[in-house]
């Protein structure tokens, strides 16, 4: 599956949103990939995650478990794990920090692939990987459906992306005037407790 095929899945799901968005990292962007509109369709989700699982096996070999950061990573993490034929778990934010809850347990030394939906700066991936490593998991690779950094994000382990593209993103104090003129939306979950 090419990057263009992946972006076409987002386009067909009406998930390529234009406007003014504040991202998880705090950067601002004129484009948001509303991945939930993609993953809500089981056939579309299966096509993408099956292809991602094949890429993971080809580049990182077999793993023991897939672990994702909530919320966005849960569905693609589960579906990718299904094709890898391994269990799927997720970490979730508790007062801002990723924690493994809900009875999930990492076997010491387990080979883990960290599965994200979207990578922009890699911050959430690094936070998720650090949480897994602190619990004794060996993160052999990270994987994502779309890498918006065009390969520039460094998550500290090899990053396997199904699609790579470069999307502009700006610090809050360096917005282009045409972006500053549009009301801002904050669609993610990182700052959720602070949102109305
Ligand atoms: O590479 P980064 O700069 O960290 O950005 C990507 C992250 O942003 C989104 O999560 P978000 O925190 O917005 O919440 P969500 O998972 O609930 O969508 C997305 O799911 C990734 O986890
Ligand atoms: O960086 C993000 O927070 C982000 C970007 C994007 O396009 N989609 C998304 O869900 N999160
Ligand atoms: Mg996320």
């Amino acid at each position: 599956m090419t990057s263009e095929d992946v972006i076409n899945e987002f386009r067909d799901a009406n998930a390529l949103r234009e406007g003014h968005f504040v991202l998880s990292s705090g950067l601002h962007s004129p484009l948001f990939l509303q991945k939930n509109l993609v993953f809500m369709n089981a056939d579309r989700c299966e096509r993408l995650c099956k292809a991602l699982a094949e890429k993971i096996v080809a580049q990182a070999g077999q793993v023991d478990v897939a672990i994702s950061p909530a919320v966005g990573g849960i569905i693609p993490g589960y579906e990718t794990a299904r094709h890898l034929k391994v269990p799927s778990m997720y970490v979730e934010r508790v007062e801002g920090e990723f924690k493994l809850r809900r009875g999930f347990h990492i076997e010491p030394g387990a080979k883990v692939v960290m599965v994200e939906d979207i990578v922009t700066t890699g911050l959430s991936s690094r936070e998720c990987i650090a949480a897994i490593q602190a619990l004794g998991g060996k993160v052999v690779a990270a994987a994502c459906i779309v890498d918006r950094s065009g390969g520039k994000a460094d998550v500290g382990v090899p990053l396997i992306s199904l699609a790579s593209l470069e999307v502009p993103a700006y610090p809050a104090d360096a917005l282009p005037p045409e972006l500053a003129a549009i009301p801002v939306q904050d669609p993610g979950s990182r700052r959720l407790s602070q949102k109305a």
Side-chain angles (χ1 to χ4, degrees), residues 31-49:
L31 181 75
F32 191 79
L33 305 176
Q34 187 45 279
K35 67 280 174 123
N36 304 292
L37 297 176
V38 173
F39 303 143
M40 70 184 280
N41 179 307
D43 291 340
R44 206 185 294 288
C45 187
E46 178 177 43
R47 282 196 291 277
L48 292 168
C49 295

Side-chain angles (χ1 to χ4, degrees), residues 1-175:
M1 195 177 245
T2 65
S3 286
E4 201 183 328
D5 294 333
V6 175
I7 297 310
N8 281 336
E9 294 279 10
F10 276 73
R11 187 172 289 114
D12 293 348
N14 195 23
L16 297 183
R17 297 301 173 114
E18 291 179 11
H20 178 184
F21 303 94
V22 61
L23 306 179
S24 183
S25 54
L27 295 176
H28 291 237
S29 180
L31 181 75
F32 191 79
L33 305 176
Q34 187 45 279
K35 67 280 174 123
N36 304 292
L37 297 176
V38 173
F39 303 143
M40 70 184 280
N41 179 307
D43 291 340
R44 206 185 294 288
C45 187
E46 178 177 43
R47 282 196 291 277
L48 292 168
C49 295
K50 182 171 186 286
L52 184 61
E54 286 165 2
K55 219 166 165 179
I56 292 167
V57 172
Q59 294 187 25
Q62 199 38 261
V63 296
D64 299 317
V65 60
I67 304 182
S68 296
V71 177
I74 295 178
I75 296 174
Y78 174 87
E79 182 64 10
T80 302
R82 192 169 76 85
H83 291 282
L84 290 170
K85 300 196 185 326
V86 299
S88 164
M89 301 193 275
Y90 59 87
V91 294
E92 59 198 292
R93 290 193 194 280
V94 180
E95 291 174 0
E97 269 188 48
F98 282 133
K99 300 281 184 203
L100 194 69
R101 301 180 66 234
R102 304 179 192 273
F104 292 147
H105 170 75
I106 302 175
E107 292 297 327
K111 283 201 272 177
V112 180
V113 61
M114 193 285 307
V115 180
E116 255 287 22
D117 45 4
I118 312 285
V119 167
T120 299
T121 64
L123 176 63
S124 308
S125 297
R126 291 192 296 275
E127 291 172 341
C128 180
I129 290 167
I132 297 165
Q133 289 170 337
L135 292 169
K138 185 175 182 321
V139 182
V140 296
C144 65
I145 302 294
V146 179
D147 173 8
R148 291 179 41 135
S149 80
K152 293 194 184 115
D154 180 2
V155 303
V157 298
L159 176 62
I160 299 162
S161 63
L162 194 58
S164 177
L165 66 153
E166 264 188 279
V167 184
Y170 309 92
D173 60 1
L175 300 186

